[in-house]
Amino acid sequence: MDTATLGAQLGITSPASKVLAHRGLTDPVAARRFLHPSLEDLLDPLTLRDLPVAIERIRKAIADSEKILIYGDYDVDGTTSVVLLTKAIELAGGAADYHVPHRLRDGYGMRPEVVEAMAADGVKLIVSVDTGIRAAEVVKRAGELGIDVIITDHHLPESELPPALAVLNPNRPDCPYADKNLCGAGVAFKLVQGLLATLGWPDSKVRRVCESFLKIAAIATVADVVPLTGENRVIVKHGLDGLHDVRNIGLRALLDVAGFTGGAVPNARQVAFQIAPRINAAGRMDTANAVVELYLTADPARARDLAKQLHDQNTERQHVELEIRETCERIAVEDSASALVYYDETWHRGVLGIVAARLVERLRRPVFVLGRNADDGLVQGSGRSIPAFHLLEALESMPELFHKFGGHKHAAGVTMDVAQVEAFRHRFNAYAAARLTPDDFLRQIEIDAVIELREITERSIADIFALAPFGNGNPAPHFAALNVEVAGPPVLLKEKHLRFTVRQNGRTLTLKAWNCAERAAELTPGARIDIAFQIEEDAYSAARGYPGWCAMMRDFRPALLCV
């Protein structure tokens, strides 16, 4: 179907219909479902393998007043999952304690000493959230101590699953669940959805309570950078819409401290860059227990204190991250390097993953950043990758180097002896060099649609924003306008940014160009250029009575279609 016909059937303008077609949504029914995701599009939780067994065991634990422990993780996904399941068990008439590991003292994953301590305390059921899929020995130890374990996770499993009572993971090979892209909180939400449906409540109440859980599940889904398509799109769309009415005092305090007051609601990008970092900062700089307490507290004053604590920790995190990143950036990178490993025993291990992500953006190569644990002397760190390179597969090619490792395609973590760092650096680079080509290192912008400036109207911009939430798997569209004329000299902003105007067939468009000051000489008035740009929401302009959007230039080149 051509884009004009698709647009006519959907009642949308050309730029949005071109984007849908470029992304494979040419069927009007599928495209309409994408534009208007419904809660009815959520999949049946009972198709998640082992979910009925998990629900039955949790209900038995509640009925018998058994001690239940929720075993989580220290990032947004893990802490949110703890909150989801803790609140759901409470609504079902039970109570659960929780354990969130300390990133620096405990590291990632389930630990046998924690299970042993819980057994001594009388715990009979452990439910893991966002962790556990590679914790076979820990699960086995729990069984020896008389503890049943339910694993809920989304990370890729090993060839053999842990010997748990139930393993809820859409990525286990024998799971028929149709959407494999849920984050940890998404899997926890499916368990909650299934559990609440067994309580004898009216359907309207089940729906209302599930919708309330979507608010924080949406934040976790965005923060964990899973694809915002399929069921994740439903979760994020409805969850973020629900932030218009926030009754959880902890979430309200968090939104306030992040600047979303007076009814302002963050979009997915703002969640990723303003909300999620504050939540993650707790686990990076100290203990993530503060996040769980923030969501669970009934004391408004305590909620405000905790939200401010997260805000302050995020500020500290930013300073530490910048210092490490600038140290790495001072190290020359040879053109022959295909993958990079940075190491310093003094670096704060809580921010290494963020530093790795920033370096990947700048260097366009897979990167690991490592520090050293002063308690045991082991080297620990995190890696991030480029689209063409699978981190976990790289690590699986050299398992003998590590005490432990895990992750997925674009993010992973490792623990090793300091004596193995140089071997890791060499083998990681060699593995990448054998699989990557020079083109893989280039920054590429995928254009969704070539449009003319006359097509940019208030209506077409509203249609573009209807494609949100934007993120991994559904990025904000990139448009190209060809052979436009620079209409006047660029304006320098804060010594490093530019603002300039282009003209095409009598229509003009003003663009902002971040970190582009060094290219100002290429934008002489009258120059003909091709531009790649995005349309973004602009709350700053909207608050001052101007249109609530702006055009962000992503790249430009001399026009190839001169007339």
Side-chain angles (χ1 to χ4, degrees):
M1 178 179 293
D2 64 78
T3 58
T5 303
L6 178 65
Q9 292 203 16
L10 297 174
I12 60 175
T13 49
S14 176
S17 65
K18 288 179 179 178
V19 173
L20 288 173
H22 179 258
R23 298 183 180 185
L25 291 165
T26 55
D27 175 65
V29 175
R32 188 171 286 107
R33 185 180 299 116
F34 179 87
L35 288 171
H36 308 288
S38 166
L39 289 176
E40 278 64 43
D41 295 330
L42 291 173
L43 301 177
D44 181 358
L46 293 179
T47 62
L48 194 63
R49 189 173 181 88
D50 283 358
L51 189 133
V53 176
I55 292 174
E56 181 181 357
R57 183 63 184 88
I58 291 172
R59 293 201 63 181
K60 179 180 184 302
I62 294 171
D64 295 346
S65 299
E66 293 180 332
K67 282 195 172 183
I68 306 171
L69 178 80
I70 312 301
Y71 200 128
D73 188 27
Y74 40 67
D75 65 359
V76 180
D77 199 17
T79 52
T80 299
S81 300
V82 169
V83 173
L84 286 169
L85 208 51
T86 301
K87 291 294 292 183
I89 288 172
E90 180 183 309
L91 289 170
D97 292 326
Y98 62 87
H99 174 80
V100 178
H102 191 286
R103 180 190 291 262
L104 302 185
R105 289 197 301 265
D106 303 328
Y108 175 79
M110 301 176 70
R111 297 172 65 90
E113 61 267 29
V114 174
V115 170
E116 290 163 358
M118 293 303 107
D121 195 41
V123 168
K124 295 299 181 184
L125 175 63
I126 292 177
V127 185
S128 79
V129 288
D130 192 37
T131 190
I133 196 62
R134 294 189 170 217
E137 291 303 314
V138 179
V139 174
K140 181 180 178 182
R141 179 61 177 147
E144 294 169 351
L145 296 169
I147 299 176
D148 286 332
V149 178
I150 296 169
I151 291 173
T152 76
D153 203 347
H154 70 119
H155 296 99
L156 297 176
E158 295 176 310
S159 57
E160 187 172 337
L161 296 175
L165 177 70
V167 178
L168 278 57
N169 186 332
N171 288 304
R172 59 182 286 183
D174 59 348
C175 182
Y177 198 75
D179 197 322
K180 306 298 184 181
N181 292 318
L182 294 175
C183 67
V187 179
F189 173 75
K190 302 309 295 186
L191 176 54
V192 168
Q193 197 181 6
L195 176 63
L196 296 182
T198 68
L199 301 182
W201 292 354
D203 290 345
S204 59
K205 182 177 180 179
V206 174
R207 179 187 175 100
R208 186 174 68 252
V209 174
C210 284
E211 282 188 84
S212 71
F213 281 128
L214 286 180
K215 296 173 187 178
I216 60 171
I219 292 173
T221 301
V222 171
D224 217 53
V225 202
V226 290
L228 298 189
T229 55
E231 193 163 33
N232 287 335
R233 179 172 173 81
V234 180
I235 290 171
V236 174
K237 173 69 173 176
H238 286 271
L240 296 189
D241 286 349
L243 296 180
H244 287 282
D245 178 24
V246 176
R247 300 183 183 183
N248 181 286
I249 59 174
L251 179 55
R252 181 69 267 163
L254 178 63
L255 293 172
D256 288 345
V257 80
F260 297 97
T261 57
V265 176
N267 58 32
R269 185 177 186 277
Q270 290 167 323
V271 167
F273 289 99
Q274 294 173 243
I275 306 298
R278 287 174 166 84
I279 301 174
N280 267 329
R284 294 188 185 281
M285 308 311 294
D286 189 13
T287 170
N289 285 332
V291 177
V292 181
E293 184 184 353
L294 173 70
Y295 280 125
L296 296 180
T297 185
D299 181 350
R302 179 60 177 159
R304 288 192 296 271
D305 288 345
L306 288 166
K308 183 179 185 305
Q309 175 184 321
L310 299 187
H311 177 79
D312 292 344
Q313 287 174 327
N314 188 52
T315 300
E316 179 188 2
R317 186 271 307 168
Q318 290 171 326
H319 292 317
V320 173
E321 173 201 332
L322 179 61
E323 182 178 343
I324 297 174
R325 177 164 55 85
E326 289 181 339
T327 300
C328 294
E329 289 175 345
R330 286 193 290 268
I331 300 172
V333 176
E334 297 181 3
D335 291 340
S336 60
S338 297
L340 301 166
V341 175
Y342 296 89
Y343 167 67
D344 189 297
E345 65 179 17
T346 67
W347 286 342
H348 192 299
R349 289 173 290 118
V351 302
L352 300 183
I354 305 177
V355 174
R358 299 291 182 266
L359 293 172
V360 169
E361 290 174 6
R362 180 175 181 271
L363 301 172
R364 304 303 303 167
R365 287 162 169 76
V367 171
F368 267 89
V369 183
L370 310 175
R372 194 174 185 183
N373 185 343
D375 294 332
D376 60 18
L378 294 177
V379 171
Q380 296 175 330
S382 296
R384 298 294 185 268
S385 191
I386 58 176
F389 189 77
H390 199 302
L391 273 189
L392 186 59
E393 289 180 357
L395 300 181
E396 287 174 336
S397 75
M398 55 190 94
E400 69 278 5
L401 296 182
F402 312 115
H403 283 259
K404 60 179 180 179
F405 67 92
H408 43 82
K409 182 175 183 179
H410 292 136
V414 295
T415 300
M416 71 185 83
D417 292 321
V418 66
Q420 299 286 11
V421 171
E422 280 305 315
F424 177 47
R425 180 178 283 124
H426 172 75
R427 291 181 61 178
F428 185 52
N429 179 63
Y431 182 94
R435 288 159 178 80
L436 296 173
T437 69
D439 286 347
D440 293 327
F441 302 129
L442 298 177
R443 180 174 182 267
Q444 297 181 349
I445 298 176
E446 183 174 353
I447 300 299
D448 288 279
V450 176
I451 63 174
E452 296 185 9
L453 298 188
R454 63 177 177 79
E455 296 181 84
I456 302 175
T457 65
E458 293 299 323
R459 182 186 168 195
S460 68
I461 289 167
D463 290 342
I464 292 167
F465 289 160
L467 304 176
F470 299 128
N472 180 31
N474 185 45
H478 278 97
F479 298 101
L482 307 179
N483 195 30
V484 300
E485 178 188 359
V486 179
V491 176
L492 185 64
L493 305 174
K494 296 184 178 180
E495 304 301 320
K496 57 183 179 179
H497 312 306
L498 296 177
R499 183 177 67 240
F500 66 101
T501 300
V502 295
R503 180 188 298 115
Q504 183 188 60
N505 299 325
R507 297 295 297 271
T508 61
L509 178 68
T510 298
L511 300 108
K512 298 176 183 178
W514 295 146
N515 299 306
C516 205
E518 71 279 1
R519 299 187 66 186
E522 302 174 54
L523 296 170
T524 56
R528 294 279 180 168
I529 59 174
D530 297 334
I531 57 174
F533 65 98
Q534 292 177 295
I535 302 295
E536 292 186 357
E537 294 181 79
D538 189 342
Y540 181 85
S541 293
R544 285 155 180 77
Y546 297 102
W549 61 272
C550 64
M552 301 297 300
M553 197 278 294
R554 297 307 179 198
D555 202 358
F556 68 92
R557 68 187 182 192
L560 298 181
L561 301 176
C562 293
V563 294

